[in-house]
């Protein structure tokens, strides 16, 4: 794999028109935090939760399938659910076989979505790392193309197209809050903006992958627990994204499971947006007050995944 500094604005800009026929330009909703019983503050919500397959992951999936030769054995991916759904959807659209490995922690909503796209689904192992190991063995045995959820050049480039789209939608923002698991999303977005706006990472307290990496100066193992463990809890952030994050992500903010649940409920009850725990994490930082904007600061929040049942929260 190449180093993160090959994920450039030029590559992202060149990739965006290639995947454009297969992805949605997702909407922005402007809200006032007074509607959530907080101090009045205008916040722009980028609703990437409305993307095909229910999350931003479709961007990286299509980039991989369009940029890399796909063998007869098809593609294989390990996922907490969203990446698997995106790869399954992209494979279905482009006419390839897909085999998806997910851990036992993956929720039913995500498993149903993966199956609905015609992929072969294999559930096993307690956490993402075990599903990843199983997918790597499958790739060795069959020759299927492995599509990594975050530590893959094409994945980062694809997710970076969301940064391009956010800048097009919201050219005047000062700050963007982005949830982090393995770091493919924030890595791609940060590569696009390249320091031109403030980018804040938001992570669950139970899975502080980037937070721990910043403390250590390199990716290290972190706990993989909490309500968002299906989407924001790999063992560590990717090696490719870390130099990008070091250069262009201001800091990481930790939010509690209670903060995330409150954000899910607020988004559903006040603006009827369905968000999974990982999708609501960035909004949780603003709702909880763990991120407090300066006077006049223009803030955008990425709501990045919706594969959840609102009855569960």
């Amino acid at each position: 794999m190449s180093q993160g500094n090959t994920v450039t604005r030029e590559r992202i800009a060149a990739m965006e028109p290639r995947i454009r026929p297969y992805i949605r330009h997702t909407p922005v909703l402007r809200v006032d935090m007074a509607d959530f019983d907080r101090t009045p503050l205008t916040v722009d919500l980028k609703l990437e939760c409305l993307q095909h397959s229910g999350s931003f992951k479709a961007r990286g999936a299509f980039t991989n399938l369009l940029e890399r030769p796909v063998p007869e054995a098809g593609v294989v991916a390990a996922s907490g659910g969203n990446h698997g759904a995106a790869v399954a959807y992209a494979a279905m659209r482009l006419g390839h076989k897909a085999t998806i490995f997910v851990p036992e922690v993956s929720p039913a909503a995500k498993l149903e979505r993966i199956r609905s796209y015609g992929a072969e689904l294999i559930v096993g192992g307690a956490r993402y790392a075990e599903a990843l190991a199983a997918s790597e063995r499958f790739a060795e045995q069959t020759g299927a193309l492995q599509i990594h959820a975050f530590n893959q050049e094409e994945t980062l480039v694809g997710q970076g197209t969301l940064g391009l789209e956010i800048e097009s939608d919201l050219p005047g923002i000062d700050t963007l809050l982005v949830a982090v698991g393995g770091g493919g999303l924030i890595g791609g977005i940060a590569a696009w903006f390249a320091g031109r706006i403030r980018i804040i990472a938001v992570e669950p307290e139970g899975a502080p992958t980037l937070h721990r990496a910043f403390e250590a100066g390199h990716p290290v193992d972190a706990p993989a627990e909490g309500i968002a463990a299906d989407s924001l809890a790999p063992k560590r952030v990717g090696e490719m994204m870390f130099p990008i994050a070091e250069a262009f992500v201001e800091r990481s903010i930790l939010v509690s499971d209670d903060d995330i649940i409150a954000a899910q409920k607020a988004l559903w009850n006040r603006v009827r947006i369905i968000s999974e725990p990982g999708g609501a994490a960035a909004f949780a930082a603003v709702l909880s007050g763990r991120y407090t904007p300066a006077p006049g600061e223009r803030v955008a929040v990425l709501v990045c995944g919706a594969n959840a049942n609102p009855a569960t929260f």
Side-chain angles (χ1 to χ4, degrees):
M1 292 182 179
S2 305
Q3 294 303 306
N5 60 10
T6 64
V7 181
T8 62
R9 283 175 52 81
E10 291 74 21
R11 288 192 65 193
I12 292 166
M15 195 66 224
E16 199 278 340
R18 292 196 63 197
I19 66 170
R20 175 55 49 198
Y22 304 103
I23 62 170
R24 292 181 180 133
H25 187 131
T26 52
V28 171
L29 177 65
R30 181 160 292 176
V31 299
D32 190 326
M33 292 306 295
D35 295 336
F36 300 90
D37 303 322
R38 300 296 188 269
T39 302
L41 171 71
T42 298
V43 173
D44 290 306
L45 304 178
K46 175 61 171 174
L47 301 181
E48 189 66 7
C49 51
L50 301 180
Q51 187 55 258
H52 288 298
S53 76
S55 83
F56 70 93
K57 297 278 191 176
R59 297 172 183 270
F62 276 109
T63 299
N64 273 278
L65 268 65
L66 292 170
E67 286 280 275
R68 302 167 67 196
V70 179
E72 188 176 343
V75 297
V76 59
S79 171
N82 285 342
H83 176 62
V87 171
Y89 175 77
M92 178 188 72
R93 285 285 308 271
L94 297 174
H96 301 297
K97 299 176 186 175
T99 304
I100 309 298
F101 289 78
V102 299
E104 294 159 3
V105 72
S106 296
K110 296 185 179 183
L111 305 187
E112 290 166 11
R113 189 174 283 269
I114 292 168
R115 290 192 183 101
S116 76
Y117 298 138
E120 182 179 354
L121 180 65
I122 301 171
V123 182
R127 287 288 185 264
Y128 168 78
E130 294 164 77
L132 178 61
S135 73
E136 289 169 344
R137 290 192 296 271
F138 179 88
E140 290 174 4
Q141 293 164 3
T142 65
L145 177 67
Q146 181 115 23
I147 301 180
H148 198 283
F150 52 88
N151 200 37
Q152 176 73 42
E153 186 177 290
E154 288 81 6
T155 303
L156 283 159
V157 170
Q159 317 313 23
T161 65
L162 180 50
L164 184 158
E165 188 170 301
I166 290 169
E167 184 168 26
S168 172
D169 291 341
L170 298 166
I173 59 170
D174 303 305
T175 304
L176 176 66
L177 279 73
V178 183
V180 174
L185 175 60
I186 200 168
I189 289 174
W192 172 259
F193 281 105
R196 292 177 296 119
I197 66 168
R198 178 184 297 110
I199 295 179
I200 305 292
V202 182
E203 302 181 85
E205 291 175 344
T209 51
L210 185 57
H211 198 86
R212 291 284 180 90
F214 279 157
E215 290 177 340
H218 56 88
V220 294
D221 285 355
E225 305 299 335
I227 191 172
D230 63 302
S231 59
L232 300 183
K235 275 190 174 181
R236 58 171 65 189
V237 291
E239 297 285 342
M240 285 188 178
M241 69 78 62
F242 187 68
I244 302 171
E246 272 200 312
F248 302 128
V249 175
E250 181 176 289
R251 66 184 188 277
S252 167
I253 293 173
L254 301 182
V255 293
S256 70
D257 281 359
D258 287 346
D259 293 335
I260 292 171
I261 293 167
Q264 283 186 283
K265 289 179 178 179
L267 287 169
W268 175 244
N269 290 332
R270 301 301 172 94
V271 287
R272 279 301 188 257
I273 293 170
I274 297 174
S275 57
E276 63 190 85
F283 185 65
V286 178
L287 187 71
S288 67
R290 292 180 187 241
Y291 183 78
T292 304
E297 182 179 349
R298 285 199 57 190
V299 177
V301 172
L302 182 54
V303 183
C304 58
N307 286 318
N309 181 347
T312 63
F313 52 83

